[in-house]
Amino acid sequence: MTTPAPAEPADPKADPGKPATPGDPDDTGQGADEKSAQPEEAAPQRAWDTLRDIGRHAPASARFTGRNNGVVAGEINGNVTRNEHHYYGASGPTRTSGEVPAAELDRLALTFVSDGTPFEELLERLLEERVLVLTGVPFTGRRTAALMLLRRAGATPVHAIDRETRPSALLQQLTKGEAPGHVLCDLVTSRDDPLRETHLLSLRDHLLKHGGHLVITTGLRPRIEDDVRTRMWEAPRTDVLLRSRLERRTGEATARRLLELAEVREFLPRAHQPREVVAYAAELMRFASGEIGEEALRDTSSGLLDEQVREWFEADEDTLHLREKAFLIALAAFDAGPYALTAELSDLLFQELQATANSKLPKTVPVFGTHIAHRLRTARARHYPAREMTEWGPVEQLMAEFLDSRTAFVLLREVWTGHPSARPALVSWLGELIVDGRPFVRTRAAATVGALAFTDLPSAMALVIAPWAVSRSPLQRVGAVSSLALAHRVGAPNILRIADDWTADSDPRLSWVGIRVQGLLGAERPREALAALRVQARKQYDPEKPGPLESELAQSVELLLLSPEAEDVLSEVLRTLDDHRSVFRISVSGFLGACRHAEEESGLPLVLRTYRQTRLDGTPAAHGIPRLWRAALDDPSFTAEALDVLRGWVLAADRDEDTSWALADLLPKLVDGSTAAHRIGHLLHTVRGDDGGPRPAAADDLLTALHRA
């Protein structure tokens, strides 16, 4: 039995983001006449291709093996009970204007760390130019650095200027203060009122006359004229800052012991902000004194990440633009994927979010203006070159990923549960992604839905997975399959129950999805999975023609036979092989489908490789594989297909000695009568290469082995 080849393109008329209504699961927003005239789309991709895409493109936290390991989601989410952590207070300037107390400067100086920062270079620049514009990512210690620069320059006391002061009014603020040092943190600029070079020249003249210094801090993309020279502030490395903090409080020996803790070694590479390092150091000292245990210390790290993600989405538009929030969500979905692709698809989400915020305004996306380095600094991410596997082979790409691998899941959880008003835009966006022509995009969309299902299964099912499952679009139905499989992979509850219920459902579309999920997840429980497939096979059996779901049932058996639990699956298949004609058909068809698959690199048949290993190990599968071959060769419905598969194995044997040995050992076991011997012998006498080339040399050796039967 054969199935149609996979067809990837989606129906251009379909609205992938619009869920089907419960009353009409086929509804795609079209009129009744148009809908009735529109044919079903071409057949969906085969189950093996879905498994391949998941293996290639799923995020590292959800690599699919057929077993539920709950690798990352469970570690982050724990028992799905949210704990509110507040490890640090407000950041930024502590006052709008006025003199900074000398005691505060002295306190900051005791803990300030300049190692690994451009502090000395910045100090030299401040002393020379009198005015310094310091840019940087929020919460990297720009204000502290500005105050310490002024203190080291001897410009104390320090007068703090209100951040709302317009650039053109800065000079007036300097003339009001008697202090030689001035600091303006987080200067507010706009397109109509940028910071200009003329402003700085007048400020510098005044400061030279009065012996003063000024440090202005801004974000990464302030409204500043191009001729204004700025300097970037880079915070000290996490390990340097934490070590310094601990040594001052606990001594060198204790600090060294604390830094060797496994939990601390995991904390250090995540590029935390200085305020987070300070908070973590305080908890480490509590741990050293016995006030808290290791679990509480781990919770500290998770709590810091929770607060960072929450701050991103609670920030107003001036602090973090909606477009950058859309990029953060896209980066969570495509973490460690190509940057250009992530940026492209984040703008689609930005448009959806715009429509949610104000549906009356036209959707607009700035074409230029966001620098990759600035964007990734804000997202606490990095970019790097790497080879990506595509359907055309590996290609070199510029990838982007969060510095903390836990961020993607925490971010998706925060958006889905903490900001429900974003759900319509997110659901519509995912609906577009799941019918994208690129397997990577579709797989990551499904993985994102899987993460949402772990966080809130009922909502993910109602808003995304169930509408996809009953869609007319094959790509959306495959998306429902992948979403359920990946949700189970990260530990979402009740997925196997959903698969069982849908497999037995009277709606053929839900049953189709359930059957596919059985193939992807059934290796965890081969007996139950195959039982569910057999029940459905009997239910839709028609002796006159193949059942409507027979191909899908066989493909799921195929996946199970190729899974890590292949021997247990094979045993269960053989136990019920002759129970009913419908069971026989899906078992033999699934077996032949499995026999067609080969290793990607070597091209050697996977089932034949399994047979060779079972012969060496002496396991029962060594007898089971020949039995299924005999069943296929002896049944008129499968003889031609079986001989075609066997021909492919003969060609593979001509390329590899081990494969030739395994096939020579297998062939005599397939001959249980003169008819089978004649068919196989004729195949070996007449076989030609794929291109019509000469008869393979291995055919003679295989004939010799066959005649020994």
Side-chain angles (χ1 to χ4, degrees), residues 221-388:
R221 300 178 62 223
R223 299 291 185 182
I224 293 178
E225 286 191 342
D226 292 340
D227 51 1
V228 173
R229 298 178 63 186
T230 63
R231 296 291 183 275
M232 173 71 72
W233 170 250
E234 297 284 354
R237 294 201 324 263
T238 299
D239 59 334
V240 173
L241 185 55
L242 184 60
R243 181 184 300 277
S244 173
R245 194 86 180 180
L246 291 175
E247 287 180 349
R248 285 193 177 103
R249 298 289 298 275
T250 67
E252 187 174 340
T254 302
R256 188 183 308 112
R257 178 176 62 83
L258 292 173
L259 290 169
E260 290 300 316
L261 293 172
E263 167 60 32
V264 177
R265 289 200 301 270
E266 290 180 10
F267 175 85
L268 291 176
R270 292 172 179 154
H272 287 279
Q273 298 164 347
R275 59 179 183 153
E276 295 171 344
V277 178
V278 170
Y280 190 73
E283 295 301 296
L284 259 181
M285 287 182 279
R286 291 182 64 204
F287 173 80
S289 65
E291 292 183 50
I292 62 172
E294 290 185 10
E295 185 175 351
L297 194 59
R298 282 192 294 271
D299 288 345
T300 299
S301 178
S302 298
L304 293 171
L305 178 58
D306 285 343
E307 288 210 30
Q308 170 59 83
V309 171
R310 192 160 51 248
E311 280 185 355
W312 278 333
F313 292 101
E314 290 176 351
D316 58 29
E317 287 294 286
D318 290 334
T319 304
L320 189 65
H321 194 270
L322 183 62
R323 189 186 187 196
E324 299 311 307
K325 293 174 184 176
F327 176 77
L328 287 168
I329 298 170
L331 185 57
F334 299 103
D335 194 24
Y339 170 80
L341 176 70
T342 303
E344 169 203 335
L345 297 177
S346 75
D347 282 340
L348 293 180
L349 177 57
F350 172 51
Q351 290 179 308
E352 297 290 348
L353 292 169
Q354 277 183 310
T356 298
N358 191 339
S359 60
K360 296 181 180 179
L361 293 178
K363 296 178 180 179
T364 59
V365 177
V367 178
F368 302 108
T370 304
H371 190 276
I372 178 175
H374 294 169
R375 169 171 266 180
L376 292 179
R377 282 195 191 99
T378 300
R380 296 170 73 167
R382 72 181 186 106
H383 60 83
Y384 59 97
R387 294 177 73 81
E388 181 201 8

Side-chain angles (χ1 to χ4, degrees), residues 628-646:
L628 279 170
W629 263 113
R630 290 194 297 270
L633 288 167
D634 292 345
D635 190 286
S637 300
F638 294 103
T639 301
E641 183 180 357
L643 289 172
D644 184 59
V645 173
L646 197 57

Side-chain angles (χ1 to χ4, degrees), residues 473-495:
S473 164
L475 288 177
Q476 286 194 328
R477 292 198 300 274
V478 172
V481 172
S482 299
S483 297
L484 288 171
L486 289 164
H488 183 70
R489 177 69 181 88
V490 297
N494 305 322
I495 301 301

